[in-house]
């Protein structure tokens, strides 16, 4: 079972560069989300999607764009990287928003450094 | 808004010691509560959950009880092992916000 696959695992960017973090899941989950993990701050929600064609902002959306053209894929785009975006990024998916089924499955993370 | 507060770490224990990691929450309505665990170099994985007051979630020797009167969901284990060394996250899901909200995480280090 592949689960949630994130690529790349590591990335170094220069300030102002753009890039896309990829996320794919093979569980036919409707709900997908992106978090960033910073020391002492837990995981903060960047963007989420409740289905193909539908996205919404989380707690810290500035500097990031998302789209959801298929159920499987939910890429995260950094348009102009800044050092404040240095973080570990996690993609997660879950079957639905029903509280009885909201186990979230996480990818292994992408460690991004912006210099 | 909804939030989760965890005890600060790191927590350092000897093998076979008793573990408690405190978690309290603020939320409207009746959220579902979760503990996730993150082993070194990996993503988070669900450890246990409880979806209503007085429910007890349990898995791998860990337990947590949903206490609405104290808005708490403390994680306990009677005898920890070195392999339990990880970061533990308390989280809540409130359907009205469509978000899984995490605490800051508590790092546990267990020594032989």
């Amino acid at each position: 079972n592949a689960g949630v696959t994130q690529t790349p695992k590591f990335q170094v960017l220069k300030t102002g560069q753009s890039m896309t973090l990829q996320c794919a899941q093979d569980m036919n989950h409707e709900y997908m989300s992106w978090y960033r993990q910073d020391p002492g701050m837990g995981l903060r929600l960047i963007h989420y999607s409740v289905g193909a064609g539908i996205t919404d902002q989380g707690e810290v959306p500035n500097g990031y764009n998302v789209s959801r053209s298929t159920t499987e894929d939910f890429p995260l785009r950094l348009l102009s990287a800044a050092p404040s975006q240095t973080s570990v990024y996690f993609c997660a998916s879950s079957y639905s928003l029903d509280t009885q089924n909201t186990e979230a499955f996480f990818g292994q993370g992408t460690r991004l450094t912006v210099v | 808004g909804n939030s989760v507060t965890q005890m600060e770490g790191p927590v350092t224990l000897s093998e076979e010691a008793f573990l408690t990691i405190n978690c309290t929450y603020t939320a409207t309505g009746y959220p579902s509560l979760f503990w996730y665990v993150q082993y070194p170099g990996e993503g988070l994985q669900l450890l246990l959950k409880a979806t209503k007051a007085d429910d007890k979630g349990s898995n791998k020797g860990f337990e947590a009880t949903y206490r609405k009167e104290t808005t708490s969901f403390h994680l306990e284990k009677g005898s920890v092992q070195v392999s339990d060394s990880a970061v533990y996250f308390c989280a809540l899901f409130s359907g009205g916000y469509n978000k899984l909200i995490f605490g800051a995480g508590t790092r546990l280090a267990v020594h032989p």
Side-chain angles (χ1 to χ4, degrees), chain B residues 4-110:
Chain B
V4 176
T5 302
Q6 288 182 239
M7 63 186 288
E8 289 191 23
V11 174
T12 303
L13 295 173
S14 298
E15 209 164 22
E16 300 183 2
F18 184 85
L19 168 71
T20 299
I21 300 178
N22 290 339
C23 170
T24 57
Y25 68 90
T26 301
T28 54
Y30 302 92
S32 293
L33 301 174
F34 304 83
W35 278 100
Y36 280 81
V37 59
Q38 183 182 29
Y39 297 105
E42 298 184 9
L44 282 71
Q45 54 188 275
L46 180 66
L47 180 61
L48 53 85
K49 70 177 183 179
T51 57
K52 60 183 187 295
D54 299 325
D55 266 3
K56 177 185 283 188
S58 61
N59 186 26
K60 299 181 180 179
F62 291 89
E63 293 183 339
T65 301
Y66 189 143
R67 301 283 188 202
K68 189 159 180 64
E69 64 276 14
T70 55
T71 61
S72 64
F73 192 56
H74 305 322
L75 183 68
E76 296 181 337
K77 187 175 186 182
S79 176
V80 294
Q81 306 300 312
V82 173
S83 57
D84 293 327
S85 298
V87 181
Y88 292 82
F89 291 91
C90 186
L92 71 82
F93 182 87
S94 177
Y97 290 93
N98 295 338
K99 296 174 187 175
L100 191 58
I101 298 170
F102 288 88
T106 302
R107 183 176 298 278
L108 170 66
V110 181

Side-chain angles (χ1 to χ4, degrees), chain A residues 29-100:
Chain A
H29 285 170
E30 290 297 322
Y31 186 82
M32 296 185 74
S33 53
W34 277 101
Y35 291 87
R36 58 179 289 173
Q37 183 181 24
D38 301 295
M41 303 189 75
L43 276 74
R44 292 182 292 168
L45 183 65
I46 304 172
H47 286 285
Y48 66 98
S49 169
V50 301
I54 306 169
T55 63
D56 206 347
Q57 296 180 350
E59 299 172 76
V60 289
N62 292 341
Y64 307 95
N65 280 353
V66 293
S67 60
R68 184 94 179 270
S69 56
T70 66
T71 299
E72 294 78 17
D73 299 301
F74 191 45
L76 178 72
R77 298 183 186 84
L78 284 70
L79 300 178
S80 178
S84 60
Q85 294 178 303
T86 294
S87 187
V88 180
Y89 291 85
F90 287 99
C91 178
S93 75
S94 56
Y95 177 68
S96 73
L97 293 176
D98 185 306
T99 56
Q100 299 296 321

Side-chain angles (χ1 to χ4, degrees), chain A residues 4 11 15 17 39 72 105 113:
Chain A
V4 179
Q11 183 71 49
T15 298
Q17 284 186 314
E72 294 78 17
F105 294 83
T113 302

